[in-house]
Each structure stands twice: as C-alpha cells, then as structure tokens.
Amino acid sequence: MRRLKITLLVLGVVFFSAAFADTKQSITIVTPINSPVRVSFGASKLTKALTAIGYKVNNAHQLPASGRTIVVGITGNDILLKAVKAWHLPMKKIAFHKEGFSISSSAQNNIVIEGLDNSGALYGCIEVADEIKDKGQLPNQISKTDHPEMVLRGACIGMQKPTYLPGRGVYEYPYTPETFPWFYDKAMWVKYLDQMVDNRMNSLYLWNGHPFASLVRLKEYPFAVEVSDETFKKNEEIFKFLTQEADKRGIWIIQMFYNIYVSKPFAEHYNIKTQDRNRPIVPLIADYTRKSIAAFVQKYPNVGLMVCLGEAMEGVGNDDVEWFTKTIVPGVKDGLKALGKTEEPPIVLRAHDTDAPNVMKYALPLYKNLYTEAKYTGEALTTYTPRGPWAELHRTLSHLGSVQIENIHIMANLEPFRYGSADFIQKCVLAMHNTYEANGLHIYPQASYWDWPYTADKAGTRLLQMDRDWIWYKEWARYSWNCHRDREAEKVYWDKQLAEKYACDTKSSANILEAYEQSGEIAPKLLRRFGITDGNRQTLTLGMFMSQLVNPERYGLFTLLYNSEGPEGEALAEYAEKEFKHQPHVGETPVTVINDVIAEGKAAVAAINAAGSGVKADKAEFKRLKNDMYCYNELANFYADKAQAALLVLNYKYSNNLADLQKAIPYLQSSVNHFKKLSNLTSDTYLYANSMQTGQRKIPIGGNDGKNKTWVELLPKYEQELKTFTKNVDSLKLHQGEKSDVKEQVLTPANVTWLSKNEDNYTLANKTSIYADTNLIANVYDGILKDLKGIRLSKKEQIASGTTLKFTTNKPVKLLVGFFKEKGKNYSAEPTLENDASANDYGQAEIKIGNAIVFTDMPAVNIHAYSFAAGTHTLTLAKGECLVLGFIDANTTLPVYDAAMNKGGANRKIDALFN
C-alpha cells in the first residue's frame, strides 16, 4: 500500500511538471512581411534572449488576437500603427536621428520597438534583449528613446603582418590562406561581428596596401591579379559572406588602401616598383588604379572605400589633389556607371600625410558622400586634453561639411599590456566632440595590430584579441554611442560588468576597475612627457636609452607630441634649463609625472591584490591581468628613476659639476633593477612587446628581423649602458682638469661612377657654394664632414623636380644627405617614419649627426645616411632643397651624435657619456 502511494506521488509530480511545461509563458514577436535583414536579425536576437529565460516565442506578421506581444518595425510601418491604435499607446513624435529607436509598453504589457531606420529597429531589439539579460526577465513596463551621438562607430582589422613577406615592401600582403588563414574562418567572423553589434558598432575597416589585385580582375590588365584562381574564388566567397553578415548587423564594411601602389605582377610586367614615394603620377599607373577601383565598386557596391593618399605618395604640391579627383573619384563613378547606379558609396579620406582640407576643397564639388579621418593623438594614446596645431587641423576637418572620424590608431605606447580605463576613454571621446568637434570613431585593436587576431600573450593556445581586450572595445563603443553618461553611474555599470566576468562581488570588481584606471594613466603620461614620437617607431614599454631622454632631437623628435598631444607642460631639457636658471615652471612637468606614475603604479598593484580573493571565474585571465598591473608598476618606476638620472645629466650640461653625474648613477642603477623585474614578469607571459617587428621600429632600438622585441633582449643593453656611463663618469673624475688628447675623426670620401649628369663637387673646407645656381656657403660645420666630396646641384631644380641620383659602385657605400630641419615647400622633407613607411628602405631614417651644418638665416642641417650594396642604383629624393654631401665606404664607422653646431657644440660632451 505504501509503495502504491509513493508511485502515485511520483506520477503526480511528473504530471504536474508536464502541465507546467505546457503552460510555459508564450510571447509573439511581430515583424512586417518581408522585413529588412537588420529588422529580422534584431528580432532573432530578441528571440534568443527570451528563449534563454524560458519563453516560448512565436513569430508572426500580424497582431495576434491575444497574448503578450512585441512588435518590431520602422517608423510608419502599418503594423506599428495598428499596434499603437489597438493598445491605445500615445503617438510619440520622435526627432529624427539616424539609428535611433523608441521602446514603449502598453497597459497589456505589450511592447512596441520602433526604429527610425533599419539599424534603429535592430538596436531597439538589442536594447530590450540586454534588459532581459540584465534583469533575468522581460520588463512589464518599459519606455525608452535613444540614438547614438556619433554617426560612425567602427573598428579596424589589419590585413597585414608583423614582418614583410619575401620580396615585398611594407603593406604588401595579398589575401591568401597562407598569409591570412583566419580571414577564411566564417565562425570567427560571426563571433567578431556579433561582438561588434552587441557593442552597437556600425563600421569595420580592413586595412591593406593594395587589396584590389586579390579581389577583382581587369580585362585590360589580366596579369595584375596576384593570387591563384583557387584563392581568388575563396576571396570572392568570403568577401560576399562577410559583407552580407555585416550588413544584417548594421555594419558597413570599408576597404582601406594606400597610394600609389600597384600589384607585384603588374610591377614586374612593366619593370617598375610596386611603390615609390617620389614617383610622379604617370598615365599607366593612374589608368590601372582607376580601373581597379571601378571594378571593385562594380563588384562590391555596398562596400565603402577608405583612401590613404600619403606614405607611398609624396603629397607635395598638387599631386594628392590630382590623384584623388582625377583617379580615385572617377574610378568610383566609373563603377557606378557600369552598374547603372547613381547612389554614391561613401569614401573616407584619411588625412595622414596629405593636405586633407585642400583635397576636400576640390573633391566635394565632384562627390558628396565623403568623410574625413585623422589620428586622435597619433599612433598612441596620450591625453584627453588635446590642443595646439593638431586640434586645429581636426576642427578644420570637422567644419568642412562632411563627417570627421577620429582614429584611435596603433597603440604604440600601450602594447602589449591590457588597458581598460573607462574614465580615460570617456574623457577622450568627450574631447573628440568638444575639442575636435568630430562625430565619428575608428578604433584600432588595443595591442598586436600587426598580429591579428592574436595577442602577444604567451599561452598554450594563442589568445584572441576580441576575447582578451573585450573591455577596450566595449568602453570605446559605449562612449561613442553616448559620452555624456554620469561618471558615478558608470562606475556602477563597469563594476557589474567586471563582477560578471570574474564571478566576484562588486567590492572586488570595483578594485579591478580601480587597477585599470590607475594603470591607465601611466603609459599616456610617460609618452607625452618623455617620448620621442607618437608613432609606432617607438615601443614605450621596451624603455628608452639615456641619450634618447637627454637629447631626443637627435632621434627625430616629433614636436606634435609636445605641442598638441598632452596638457601644456615641459620636456626634460626645458625643465632642466629652467631649474638651473631658477625660472618658473609651466604646466605638467617631468617631476610631476615622475611622482604621478610612481603613485599610480603602486595604487594599481594594491587594487588588483585586493580584488584577488573575490575572483571565482576566469582565474587564468585574472592572473594575466594581475601580472600586467605589476608590469605597469615596474615600467613606471623604471622611467621615473631614469628620468631623474636624465635630469641630473642635463643639469651637468650647465653646471659642469661632476657631482651631478655621480648622483645620477644610483638612479640609473635603480632603473635597471626595475627593468630586470619587468623582464622577469614578462619572460614567461609575453611573446613580444611590439607587433611591428621590422626596421621601421627605431626606439629604443631597431626591430630588424624580428629582433629586440622582448624585455629579456633589452635588459643586457640597459645593463651595459649603466656600466658605460659609470666608467665614463669615473674616467672624468680621474682625469678632471686634464686636456683631452682625443683626435677629431674626419670622414674619408669614397668614389662612385655617376650615370646621371656630371655633377660638380665641392668640399665644406673650401668654403665654396654648395649649389650651382646660388652662392650659399656653410658658415659653421662639424669638422668630421670637411673632406667629403659634396655634389653641387641646382637649388631651383631640386625645388621643382626633386633630386634624382644615378650611379654605379663596385663596393658597398653610404651616401650622406643633409636635410634642413625646418618643414616647408622649399625644403626636402627629412625621412620620417611618422608619415613615410618607406623612410628606412636604405637605413636612412635615423639622424646620424644632428645639427651638423649651420648657414646664415637658414635652419640647421641634420645628416642621414643611405646604404647601397655594390651595383647600379637610382635614388630619388623628395622635392625641395637638401645637401648631397658625398659617399663614404660602407664599413666606415659613422658615429651617431648631436654636433650641436647651432649651439656651439654644447651637446657633444653629453653624448660622449653614453658611448
């Protein structure tokens, strides 16, 4: 009898459960018939969220007679109007904002999601889905209207690699499975696009030098394609898949390309270079480029184009205007004409290394759907208080009548450590609006741009950037949608995000956020106060040498870093001079930053330690994050101590007091100790510091052949620097007061056979004119140059046409070229990797002898060296005046220093301390 009762009880439970399942809450999602893909996709996101909390979801195109209902549509849809009338909802007047939406609920707990366009409907669905996930239930009552502040909110992926492909130059990476296996991974694309749409991002940029030869065929140039037929078909398939998947998520694909590039097969066919910055616009290349663009537009009319006129194109004079208005825009129009379309696809003009306002002046009358893009603070993240000439450029672009997009470019000062300061990022986006007056965002990956999709972390399985740096993407996306959010409420929001990530309480998550925000100040402050460049030729986290701190001009100091990309303040040399002369200081000083970063590193470590005990999930990632906070702390102390040592060395420049140098030694020793700890923290956790592993990276040291990319490699160099400095200081002490018997080095000229017109020679020692058509004589010059056989050229021809040198040599040689330090149309630009990716093709990017020659009423001259192997060569230098000082044997040791002839040689004794 008891067994029978138990059986009946069990059967009753089963019956009750089945009955409960049958009465599971049902809800109907209504969309218009033949809804656009974005509306349907939004409804599917909503369906997924409802199903996850136990709803049975029905899909319909008409209002049901009864039951809870959600209607999704575009303003003016009949189904929306019927729902509003049936449920007695008030008719809302919504001001039109692209991608905006309104969500309203009725007394019957029904919901209307009204998009002002297809993307608005999509975002409205995601908003309700997020509310369901956040609360664990569908709200009975909801009323919300929202729209994004920025028109474009995008991210970029580099179709590029850390090193050059064999036989190719910078940016030359055809789309192939061998080079980019991940490009053909549809599941990875869906994952990344889903993350983008969840973050409300609406544009994805693919960066490549010359993508057309991987994506289109030209009947006039069939040999230009640089991938196999099999790969070409794969490229067509994946590009179609990508654009379709992106479109349903409201994401606009933008294919970026550089100018002037041609494909390798095209170049070989016509026996020309794939890229040559100083090559004039020629009809053949213009025709090839125009037809390539036309074919691309015809094949992919819904894909935008982003044009970088600079780097592989000189951009001096009217060339950039001519190329944009007579090749690129006509190419797009040709493609539209072939399609029979008049709706213009968007073109983004990148302002890098070109006079973008001038180009737009001539382009806007020809083509209306134009955008402009410029780097926010160069190729680094330095400040949320931008100012100076860089801010003026951005405002000029913003006032053209098109949309100005702010590009958070390669994070050369952040990589490879994690970054997630919501406070810093929110303030940056506010500055984009308030200071730059821009209305678009384009962010790079937080680290490892050249190594997409992987991070630099040393792990059993390579980590993906989209996973590791989730908070980076989420923060920029959130504030590009709305940067005017309450700061205290934002702390609560991010505390909750981090609590979910690590399954910890909000006290622990608040400490994680605090660690992010304390560490988030360190790298920006270090670079803007001690750095040499805001570009990826400097890897901040690998440190700097003393000579770079005390005499940055010798290494090509990028002045925008100091006059635009940080608050008003002083560089190390300025501070030391004012301190010695007892003059008042202005703004943010090196000492202020030294004290700040020490405190911030300490606070970041304390906060991450305090959070540790509460972490219950993703412990491996938390361990990596914790290690990064320790890395930031050691990095901060390394720079703080080294900057203190540099200030003492700079003071010696004025005081001639040996005690200053002796006081610097303990600081330099301490900086090495901190770098050793940093080396230990990274040796088992990181594969590299910087993802650009080429000769373009120069500071603290060249990255040729993938070398000098880890802290372990740099540590012995800093240890040697300490030994050298200590030895030289001891030597000065030992020989104090004695006369130096060191003989001045004089360079010996090398001979070559000229193939261009027979140039006249001159020597600086003879005090003869350096130009054939002027009487310009060097008044002051470094004696090391006095015997060189300079080439006397026409100043007028240099300015009009540039300088072309053709010669043959039977042994390796170096050509010394002097560039005037002032920028201007009459001066040939110094090779600089900030705007010319080919600026080190001959090893010429580094200044060998700074301030080597001085003329009356003219800028000082810096000497660069171009290396050539035995053989026949042609070298073309950009338009403008420069000095061709002559050749030396390639094996000659060419010292690197600041001759400081403009200051009476004042820096020589400083440079000698580190040699």
Side-chain angles (χ1 to χ4, degrees):
M1 185 70 174
R2 184 178 177 185
R3 181 176 295 176
L4 178 61
K5 287 181 179 179
I6 293 172
T7 301
L8 290 172
L9 179 61
V10 170
L11 288 173
V13 169
V14 171
F15 176 79
F16 177 80
S17 299
F20 182 79
D22 289 341
T23 59
K24 184 165 85 168
Q25 287 182 295
S26 293
I27 192 166
T28 301
I29 296 178
V30 179
T31 56
I33 297 174
N34 299 321
S35 290
V37 291
R38 294 180 193 177
V39 176
S40 298
F41 186 78
S44 71
K45 297 279 283 184
L46 193 53
T47 297
K48 186 176 179 181
L50 288 164
T51 303
I53 60 169
Y55 276 89
K56 180 182 178 182
V57 180
N58 303 307
N59 294 295
H61 300 302
Q62 296 293 332
L63 293 180
S66 61
R68 200 165 185 189
T69 305
I70 299 176
V71 175
V72 182
I74 312 300
T75 298
N77 281 158
D78 288 343
I79 198 71
L80 284 179
L81 296 174
K82 288 179 182 178
V84 168
K85 182 177 180 180
W87 300 334
H88 307 292
L89 287 169
M91 291 291 291
K92 287 187 178 181
K93 285 190 176 181
I94 309 169
F96 180 82
H97 289 283
K98 188 178 179 182
E99 301 180 307
F101 62 84
S102 175
I103 306 169
S104 303
S105 53
S106 70
Q108 302 89 349
N109 296 332
N110 295 324
I111 296 173
V112 170
I113 300 174
E114 176 184 355
L116 294 169
D117 52 25
N118 293 334
S119 290
L122 166 64
Y123 292 140
C125 289
I126 294 175
E127 187 70 25
V128 175
D130 283 351
E131 184 82 7
I132 293 167
K133 294 173 191 173
D134 186 48
K135 300 290 191 335
Q137 61 182 18
L138 177 64
N140 289 327
Q141 294 295 310
I142 184 171
S143 178
K144 185 169 187 177
T145 299
D146 202 2
H147 64 86
E149 291 176 336
M150 283 190 163
V151 173
L152 286 177
R153 308 169 303 283
C156 98
I157 287 175
M159 298 294 293
Q160 294 166 7
K161 305 294 287 183
T163 56
Y164 298 164
L165 294 180
R168 291 183 178 270
V170 64
Y171 306 133
E172 295 182 25
Y173 301 102
Y175 293 4
T176 68
E178 295 76 24
T179 305
F180 303 110
W182 55 265
F183 183 63
Y184 306 88
D185 187 338
K186 293 181 179 179
M188 181 176 286
W189 276 122
V190 168
K191 178 179 178 178
Y192 183 68
L193 294 172
D194 278 344
Q195 184 185 66
M196 288 190 71
V197 72
D198 287 344
N199 286 334
R200 283 41 159 204
M201 299 185 89
N202 67 356
S203 45
L204 174 60
Y205 303 74
L206 303 179
W207 283 58
N208 187 264
H210 185 70
F212 306 114
S214 296
L215 298 169
V216 296
R217 295 185 190 277
L218 305 179
K219 63 180 181 181
E220 299 87 348
Y221 306 103
F223 47 82
V225 176
E226 52 186 349
V227 298
S228 68
D229 290 346
E230 182 184 2
T231 296
F232 191 85
K233 290 178 182 178
K234 288 181 179 179
N235 290 346
E236 287 182 316
E237 180 192 357
I238 196 65
F239 218 75
K240 181 179 180 181
F241 170 82
L242 174 59
T243 53
Q244 288 178 343
E245 289 298 313
D247 182 59
K248 72 169 64 170
R249 293 165 174 81
I251 297 168
W252 167 36
I253 298 294
I254 304 166
Q255 178 64 67
M256 179 270 183
F257 62 101
Y258 287 87
N259 281 291
I260 301 174
Y261 278 63
V262 297
S263 75
K264 188 172 172 57
F266 182 94
E268 291 170 346
H269 183 87
Y270 289 105
N271 194 29
I272 61 175
K273 294 181 179 180
T274 55
Q275 53 179 298
D276 184 351
R277 181 177 174 85
N278 299 306
R279 175 170 54 198
I281 297 172
V282 296
L284 172 67
I285 296 177
D287 184 65
Y288 167 71
T289 304
R290 179 170 175 171
K291 285 183 167 62
S292 294
I293 292 169
F296 182 84
V297 171
Q298 188 175 353
K299 192 171 185 178
Y300 303 106
N302 297 320
V303 178
L305 290 170
M306 179 176 180
V307 185
C308 179
L309 290 177
E311 297 213 39
M313 181 177 181
E314 186 179 339
V316 174
N318 207 43
D319 284 359
D320 49 358
V321 172
E322 290 281 308
W323 188 252
F324 194 73
T325 59
K326 294 184 179 180
T327 298
I328 293 172
V329 169
V332 174
K333 288 187 172 183
D334 290 346
L336 292 175
K337 184 178 179 180
L339 286 170
K341 292 182 63 174
T342 57
E343 183 181 356
E344 297 176 341
I347 304 176
V348 181
L349 172 64
R350 189 182 180 212
H352 175 68
D353 194 32
T354 191
D355 185 354
N358 189 47
V359 174
M360 291 290 283
K361 173 184 174 182
Y362 291 96
L364 279 169
L366 304 175
Y367 198 92
K368 298 303 179 186
N369 199 10
L370 295 176
Y371 296 75
T372 56
E373 178 263 17
K375 300 171 186 173
Y376 172 66
T377 51
E379 298 179 353
L381 187 64
T382 60
T383 189
Y384 43 77
T385 57
R387 60 191 179 91
W390 196 238
E392 192 57 42
L393 170 65
H394 284 247
R395 283 192 292 271
T396 299
L397 294 172
S398 297
H399 294 168
L400 293 174
S402 55
V403 173
Q404 160 60 13
I405 304 164
E406 292 303 318
N407 175 210
I408 303 297
H409 205 70
I410 289 171
M411 300 296 101
N413 63 329
L414 302 187
E415 64 174 353
F417 307 134
R418 289 157 177 76
Y419 189 94
S421 174
D423 181 43
F424 199 102
I425 289 173
Q426 183 175 11
K427 289 174 179 174
C428 286
V429 181
L430 280 164
M432 292 175 185
H433 286 291
N434 300 334
T435 303
Y436 287 165
E437 301 177 25
N439 200 28
L441 175 72
H442 170 198
I443 63 168
Y444 266 48
Q446 189 255 297
S448 303
Y449 163 77
W450 302 94
D451 202 13
W452 179 271
Y454 304 111
T455 74
D457 296 86
K458 191 181 289 186
T461 301
R462 293 290 299 273
L463 304 184
L464 296 177
Q465 293 178 31
M466 69 182 88
D467 294 334
R468 190 198 89 155
D469 299 324
W470 66 275
I471 197 167
W472 167 265
Y473 290 108
K474 198 174 187 69
E475 286 172 346
W476 285 107
R478 181 171 175 81
Y479 297 121
S480 65
W481 182 279
N482 179 6
C483 64
H484 296 93
R485 303 175 193 265
D486 176 73
R487 170 64 180 151
E488 293 305 311
E490 286 304 284
K491 288 181 182 179
V492 174
Y493 174 83
W494 291 113
D495 287 350
K496 185 170 183 180
Q497 297 296 308
L498 290 163
E500 291 176 1
K501 166 77 174 170
Y502 294 108
C504 60
D505 56 35
T506 53
K507 182 178 179 181
S508 293
S509 63
N511 276 315
I512 297 173
L513 181 62
E514 177 71 4
Y516 268 130
E517 299 198 333
Q518 290 289 343
S519 65
E521 295 284 342
I522 293 171
K525 286 179 178 176
L526 290 175
L527 188 68
R528 74 190 187 212
R529 204 49 57 203
F530 305 133
I532 290 174
T533 168
D534 67 2
N536 58 24
R537 69 182 172 99
Q538 174 169 5
T539 300
L540 179 84
T541 57
L542 283 177
M544 292 171 67
F545 290 105
M546 284 290 286
S547 60
Q548 293 167 339
L549 287 169
V550 300
N551 192 10
E553 283 193 3
R554 183 179 125 190
Y555 297 88
L557 180 67
F558 193 61
T559 54
L560 281 176
L561 182 60
Y562 286 89
N563 65 23
S564 294
E565 296 168 3
E568 185 179 13
E570 298 171 4
L572 276 164
E574 293 175 290
Y575 181 89
E577 183 176 5
K578 286 186 175 183
E579 191 74 0
F580 184 78
K581 295 178 179 178
H582 304 290
Q583 295 174 344
H585 297 289
V586 177
E588 184 180 76
T589 69
V591 172
T592 302
V593 167
I594 286 169
N595 293 331
D596 282 354
V597 298
I598 290 173
E600 286 154 356
K602 183 179 180 181
V605 168
I608 204 70
N609 285 341
S613 61
V615 171
K616 300 294 187 292
D618 213 346
K619 291 185 177 181
E621 173 58 17
F622 179 79
K623 183 180 178 181
R624 289 188 283 263
L625 174 62
K626 181 178 179 179
N627 190 70
D628 279 359
M629 296 303 121
Y630 278 75
C631 289
Y632 269 121
N633 183 47
E634 296 304 333
L635 184 71
N637 282 280
F638 163 81
Y639 271 103
D641 285 334
K642 202 150 194 175
Q644 290 281 22
L647 285 172
L648 287 163
V649 171
L650 287 165
N651 195 62
Y652 168 73
K653 179 177 170 180
Y654 302 102
S655 72
N656 284 309
N657 186 347
L658 198 59
D660 287 330
L661 299 182
Q662 291 173 311
K663 290 176 185 175
I665 292 173
Y667 282 111
L668 196 55
Q669 175 67 68
S670 181
S671 75
V672 171
N673 293 342
H674 285 295
F675 199 87
K676 186 174 184 179
K677 292 178 182 176
L678 181 58
S679 179
N680 290 335
L681 287 166
T682 55
S683 62
D684 293 328
T685 56
Y686 279 105
L687 297 168
Y688 53 79
N690 57 300
S691 59
M692 173 183 270
Q693 294 156 22
T694 70
Q696 288 173 278
R697 198 250 301 155
K698 288 293 182 185
I699 303 163
I701 196 169
N704 305 57
D705 303 319
K707 296 178 181 177
N708 299 318
K709 62 187 179 184
T710 67
W711 301 263
V712 172
E713 290 172 284
L714 266 293
L715 177 60
K717 302 181 189 304
Y718 292 131
E719 291 173 331
Q720 183 58 51
E721 179 186 53
L722 172 63
K723 290 179 182 177
T724 300
F725 179 71
T726 303
K727 179 182 177 181
N728 287 339
V729 172
D730 288 344
S731 180
L732 282 174
K733 183 179 179 182
L734 182 64
H735 300 288
Q736 200 167 11
E738 296 178 11
K739 186 177 180 179
S740 174
D741 61 353
V742 177
K743 292 183 179 180
E744 184 181 72
Q745 179 183 356
V746 178
L747 296 173
T748 301
N751 294 318
V752 302
T753 301
W754 288 103
L755 302 177
S756 50
K757 65 180 181 178
N758 187 25
E759 289 89 353
D760 294 330
N761 292 123
Y762 69 87
T763 61
L764 294 173
N766 289 339
K767 294 288 183 179
T768 54
S769 175
I770 64 170
Y771 288 123
D773 52 357
T774 71
N775 191 31
L776 183 64
I777 297 172
N779 297 304
V780 180
Y781 59 87
D782 190 328
I784 196 173
L785 306 170
K786 67 180 184 179
D787 290 344
L788 290 179
K789 293 181 180 179
I791 313 303
R792 187 178 286 114
L793 301 167
S794 165
K795 171 183 172 181
K796 184 178 179 180
E797 288 183 13
Q798 279 192 320
I799 293 173
S801 307
T803 302
T804 299
L805 305 169
K806 297 180 181 180
F807 60 94
T808 294
T809 175
N810 57 11
K811 62 181 180 180
V813 291
K814 291 178 182 176
L815 174 64
L816 302 190
V817 180
F819 293 93
F820 293 94
K821 292 174 63 177
E822 185 173 305
K823 293 181 179 180
K825 64 180 181 180
N826 287 337
Y827 297 117
S828 184
E830 277 192 89
T832 171
L833 289 165
E834 262 77 22
N835 54 22
D836 178 6
S838 64
N840 201 46
D841 286 356
Y842 301 93
Q844 77 272 31
E846 182 182 12
I847 297 173
K848 295 299 183 182
I849 306 175
N851 300 295
I853 304 173
V854 177
F855 298 92
T856 302
D857 299 325
M858 291 186 74
V861 173
N862 291 332
I863 308 300
H864 295 252
Y866 291 70
S867 296
F868 298 93
T872 299
H873 304 278
T874 298
L875 175 66
T876 301
L877 301 172
K879 296 174 185 176
E881 293 180 65
C882 63
L883 310 182
V884 180
L885 294 162
F887 291 90
I888 61 173
D889 190 287
N891 294 320
T892 301
T893 300
L894 184 61
V896 180
Y897 60 95
D898 183 4
M901 301 312 298
N902 57 337
K903 299 178 183 178
N907 288 339
R908 281 177 180 266
K909 65 179 183 181
I910 300 299
D911 284 333
L913 291 169
F914 310 105
N915 295 330

